[in-house]
Amino acid sequence: KASLASSSDSSWEGMSTSTPYPLTRPFDAQRKAAIRSSDTLYCYDLPALFEAAVEQQWTALTGGDSTVSGLHASGRPLMVMYTTELVVQQKSDPAGKWTIDDYLDGSLELVQMNRRAGANDVGMVAWLMVL
């Protein structure tokens, strides 16, 4: 059943008609239900899950001891992992659309970018994760 925004909903007011719909807000419950039923996962959840696993390993290895296996619990970094999305773009026009011909003639580059989940416009997402 589709529902329309009420006239009192001004969250879209003043925004361009080409603004992408925010996927994480209205579809969160549906996404979680889909994950449970299909044993799959939303690709933007992967970095957070990986970071949680790294934090669990750090805690398990130190286990409250001041030193275990050469690791110092007091030396644990505030952030155990930094994640940046990797995006393909044209060297000459970063905001422009690209084609396979741009790839073949070597006019594309891979750049690190921080952007919100779901902002990709291709069928693949890649991250650079630094532990």
Side-chain angles (χ1 to χ4, degrees), residues 88-94 97-110:
V88 176
Q89 66 184 22
Q90 288 184 12
K91 293 177 185 175
S92 61
D93 182 14
K97 298 290 182 189
W98 54 270
T99 66
I100 191 66
D101 293 329
D102 296 318
Y103 169 74
L104 294 172
D105 69 18
S107 62
L108 298 178
E109 62 184 348
L110 192 61

Side-chain angles (χ1 to χ4, degrees), residues 18-126:
S18 65
T19 301
Y21 193 76
L23 296 177
T24 56
R25 185 182 63 189
F27 299 114
D28 224 22
Q30 292 165 334
R31 177 174 54 90
K32 288 177 184 176
I35 289 169
R36 283 191 301 272
S37 67
S38 66
D39 289 332
T40 62
L41 126 99
Y42 183 55
C43 67
Y44 286 97
D45 289 338
L46 184 64
L49 292 172
F50 192 78
E51 183 175 11
V54 170
E55 287 177 348
Q56 285 178 347
Q57 286 297 310
W58 193 288
T59 302
L61 284 172
T62 57
D65 269 349
S66 61
T67 247
V68 175
S69 305
L71 295 175
H72 297 282
S74 62
R76 180 188 181 278
L78 184 59
M79 292 192 59
V80 296
M81 189 174 92
Y82 297 91
T83 304
T84 308
E85 188 173 351
L86 299 174
V87 179
V88 176
Q89 66 184 22
Q90 288 184 12
K91 293 177 185 175
S92 61
D93 182 14
K97 298 290 182 189
W98 54 270
T99 66
I100 191 66
D101 293 329
D102 296 318
Y103 169 74
L104 294 172
D105 69 18
S107 62
L108 298 178
E109 62 184 348
L110 192 61
V111 296
Q112 296 180 36
M113 188 176 293
N114 290 315
R115 59 185 184 177
R116 65 181 178 13
N120 63 316
D121 56 0
V122 296
M124 183 182 295
V125 181

